[in-house]
Amino acid sequence: MTTTVVPPTGPDAGQATAHWIEVDTTTPASLALADNGNVGGEDIAAGTHTFFPSIAVNNNDSVGIGFAASGPNIYPGAYYTGRCADAAAGTVQASEVLAAGVDWYVRKFGGSRNRWGDYSGICVDPIDDTTFWVFNEYALTRGTAISGEDGRWGTRWENFIVECQTLLTFNFSGSWDLISCPGNPVISDFATLFQAPIAAGIMNPSVFMWNGATKAFEIASTFEFGNGYWVQTIQSCNVAVEYQDRKSTRLNSSHIPLSRMPSSA
């Protein structure tokens, strides 16, 4: 879940700050705080406030958070961040720009507060259960004044994938060993994967995959996490393999500039 807080101390002291909370639901009758942390805006610009956060968790327990931000050095805009399942407690990744604001914004619609954040959210793509879709508002160039207020907003949406990294170490101790790597299916090049510190005089391992159609082992040219592969070695050796989850990408994005401020929004 998310909320907005005003920290009394720290880098975001005195500033509206997006805050995320992880709750342990193992025992529904006795919920417990598992972790929590701030999404500060100091990596966007000094003195930046972050607010109206939304949160989603994908199949890998990676977290996506969308939020709005504004401050003395930036106009109101849309941003997002992520967090890996094994990240340090209370931390998130660096903020990413969804759509930076381009002007100042004031629209109270007869009330006492500047209205913002009605149209924002984040969700996980149901196709792969990994990709996040985030949408939010950002301030456009001011338009026609209505009751002395001329702020205008636009809506931007985009997809992204939280980039995570894992280090796996395989201990090969026989002439043949079976390895299976957990994680998302990620195709990687063996030439890169097995350029690891192997003791002098020990032959680099050869990696084979079992072809069920031909009932034979075939030398593998790619490596897919989640599957098992046979590794042939001459002597015992250790191989450290570092892989990354699918890297952050922005496949599709769109912006919807509003030509006028609808009276109902």
Side-chain angles (χ1 to χ4, degrees):
M1 68 181 70
T2 57
T3 187
T4 301
V5 300
V6 180
T9 59
D12 305 301
Q15 300 169 186
T17 303
H19 188 81
W20 57 270
I21 302 168
E22 179 184 354
V23 178
D24 185 347
T25 60
T26 303
T27 306
S30 180
L31 301 178
L33 177 65
D35 198 1
N36 71 107
N38 292 333
V39 182
E42 295 304 298
D43 63 339
I44 299 173
T48 296
H49 299 251
T50 58
F51 44 93
F52 286 117
S54 56
I55 191 169
V57 182
N58 68 14
N59 189 51
N60 308 314
D61 290 331
S62 295
V63 176
I65 302 174
F67 60 97
S70 66
N73 299 299
I74 62 168
Y75 296 116
Y79 299 83
Y80 64 90
T81 185
R83 170 178 165 80
C84 298
D86 58 353
T91 62
V92 293
Q93 297 177 349
S95 300
E96 299 284 350
V97 180
L98 176 60
V102 298
D103 207 341
W104 56 265
Y105 174 92
V106 176
R107 284 288 183 180
K108 297 181 181 179
F109 295 100
S112 61
R113 301 179 63 182
N114 200 11
R115 187 166 179 178
W116 188 263
D118 297 58
Y119 308 106
S120 63
I122 191 171
C123 64
V124 178
D125 194 316
I127 300 298
D128 62 10
D129 207 9
T130 299
T131 304
F132 293 99
W133 288 91
V134 61
F135 60 96
N136 212 326
E137 297 175 63
Y138 65 104
L140 290 173
T141 302
R142 286 172 290 136
T144 303
I146 300 176
S147 300
E149 300 173 355
D150 56 2
R152 296 172 67 240
W153 79 77
T155 303
R156 179 72 58 89
W157 55 266
E158 188 170 281
N159 65 9
F160 68 96
I161 295 174
V162 176
E163 182 179 344
C164 301
Q165 184 169 290
T166 302
L167 181 64
L168 306 175
T169 300
F170 306 117
N171 298 309
F172 302 137
S173 58
S175 59
W176 283 94
D177 292 281
L178 176 66
I179 62 173
S180 181
C181 297
N184 290 329
V186 179
I187 305 300
S188 300
D189 179 20
F190 267 124
T192 301
L193 284 172
F194 288 97
Q195 288 176 353
I198 300 176
I202 297 179
M203 178 177 286
N204 290 325
S206 299
V207 185
F208 300 83
M209 61 183 298
W210 176 255
N211 188 323
T214 62
K215 307 297 182 183
F217 285 107
E218 298 177 357
I219 294 179
S221 58
T222 58
F223 190 71
E224 184 173 354
F225 285 87
N227 290 343
Y229 293 86
W230 288 93
V231 179
Q232 184 181 33
T233 61
I234 302 302
Q235 300 179 36
S236 298
C237 63
N238 295 325
V239 177
V241 178
E242 185 174 287
Y243 81 95
Q244 287 191 337
D245 199 350
R246 287 186 296 171
K247 293 187 176 181
S248 300
T249 184
R250 298 168 187 157
L251 301 177
N252 297 288
S253 64
S254 178
H255 63 280
I256 307 172
L258 304 181
S259 58
R260 61 187 179 85
M261 295 289 293
S263 60
S264 61

